[in-house]
Amino acid sequence: MDQDEIKRLGASLRQIDPGILSPAKEGITKVWYQGGEPYFDVVVELRHGEIEWFQFTLRGKSISWRPRFSGLQTGKTNELDTNDLTFHPATKLVEQNNQQDHQFIELAHAILKTRANEPLFKQILTLFDSA
């Protein structure tokens, strides 16, 4: 993917109004950014301002992180599989990869880095640096 497309994707992320999100667990704040193309989003759950869970999805691929994970986990989503009769566009299943998809991690990092001047994105980027 070229730098112009990476910048376009990063710039397309818009925060979704928290009022339309389902209530989070007590003490958790959920932040959701939706990108300018279908199935591109970033979801973060925060507890006292610290990331409790993070997920980045783009074009049928996913990266997830939780403190108890040993690093970033990559996987694939069912979002591009429209042959399933039970599929609903508001649902997402993620199947974890056996090995990290390093190329996708680098792409996600590059996209998120376009927003590095924003505090939440800066915090997310530290997860990539420590993985």
Side-chain angles (χ1 to χ4, degrees):
M1 186 177 295
D2 68 27
Q3 287 300 313
D4 288 339
E5 188 171 8
I6 287 169
K7 289 176 186 173
R8 180 186 57 76
L9 286 167
S12 76
L13 287 165
R14 299 286 178 254
Q15 188 172 356
I16 300 300
D17 178 3
I20 68 168
L21 300 176
S22 58
K25 297 175 239 168
E26 188 174 328
I28 298 288
T29 302
K30 186 180 274 191
V31 182
W32 176 23
Y33 285 84
Q34 195 168 47
E37 63 179 62
Y39 313 118
F40 175 35
D41 55 21
V42 176
V43 182
V44 181
E45 289 183 354
L46 302 161
R47 182 184 303 274
H48 306 295
E50 297 295 320
I51 297 175
E52 182 86 4
W53 175 77
F54 156 77
Q55 186 174 70
F56 175 101
T57 57
L58 174 68
R59 300 178 184 170
K61 293 186 177 188
S62 170
I63 297 172
S64 300
W65 180 89
R66 264 194 208 288
R68 67 178 181 263
F69 290 169
S70 59
L72 297 170
Q73 291 186 338
T74 59
K76 62 180 186 169
T77 71
N78 67 329
E79 294 171 314
L80 300 179
D81 183 12
T82 57
N83 295 328
D84 185 351
L85 289 176
T86 62
F87 176 78
H88 185 275
T91 63
K92 178 188 331 186
L93 296 175
V94 177
E95 182 181 327
Q96 183 179 331
N97 293 339
N98 291 329
Q99 295 182 0
Q100 279 188 334
D101 182 341
H102 295 286
Q103 189 174 14
F104 186 62
I105 289 172
E106 289 174 17
L107 174 61
H109 185 262
I111 292 168
L112 294 168
K113 204 169 180 183
T114 67
R115 305 285 291 262
N117 61 333
E118 298 172 47
L120 182 60
F121 287 92
K122 183 182 273 187
Q123 192 175 356
I124 293 169
L125 286 165
T126 64
L127 303 177
F128 284 77
D129 297 337
S130 64

